[in-house]
């Protein structure tokens, strides 16, 4: 069975992160998801943003360990209709 080694920092050195005004060495994942605005307002999934945030946080904790759950931040960005494209066409 392979041994998984966890790093204390995920992208940010420990001395550059703080919580509550004090420097901390805890891992602090910061995830940003960008989707078309309509995806967050799907009529069959009225709580889509909350479900996405919960699922992403669960996934991060499953990979990096439960100790990072309380430090994980998830940002949901939206792209307004008509401001993105696929294959050279406005989508």
């Amino acid at each position: 069975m392979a041994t998984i080694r966890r790093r204390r920092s995920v992208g940010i050195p420990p001395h550059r992160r703080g919580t509550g005004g004090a420097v901390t060495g805890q891992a602090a994942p910061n995830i940003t998801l960008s989707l078309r605005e309509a995806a967050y307002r799907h009529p069959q999934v009225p709580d889509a943003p909350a479900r996405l945030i919960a699922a992403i946080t669960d996934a991060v904790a499953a990979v990096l360990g439960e100790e990072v759950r309380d430090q994980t931040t998830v940002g949901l960005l939206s792209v307004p209709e008509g401001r993105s494209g696929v294959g050279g066409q406005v989508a």
Side-chain angles (χ1 to χ4, degrees):
M1 185 162 145
T3 301
I4 297 174
R5 294 185 183 156
R6 293 192 177 114
R7 295 170 60 180
R8 296 294 300 158
S9 172
V10 180
I12 300 173
H15 62 281
R16 294 187 190 171
R17 167 98 176 116
T19 301
V23 174
T24 180
Q26 287 184 308
N30 182 7
I31 295 89
T32 303
L33 179 65
S34 178
L35 292 171
R36 293 185 184 132
E37 176 64 31
Y40 297 123
R41 295 182 284 112
H42 195 284
Q44 293 177 336
V45 188
D47 57 347
R51 290 175 64 182
L52 282 167
I53 290 169
I56 292 167
T57 302
D58 288 346
V60 170
V63 172
L64 298 178
E66 277 299 317
E67 63 272 12
V68 303
R69 180 180 295 278
D70 291 341
Q71 299 295 317
T72 300
T73 59
V74 178
L76 302 178
L77 303 181
S78 63
V79 178
E81 186 175 335
R83 294 202 183 167
S84 65
V86 177
Q89 300 295 314
V90 174

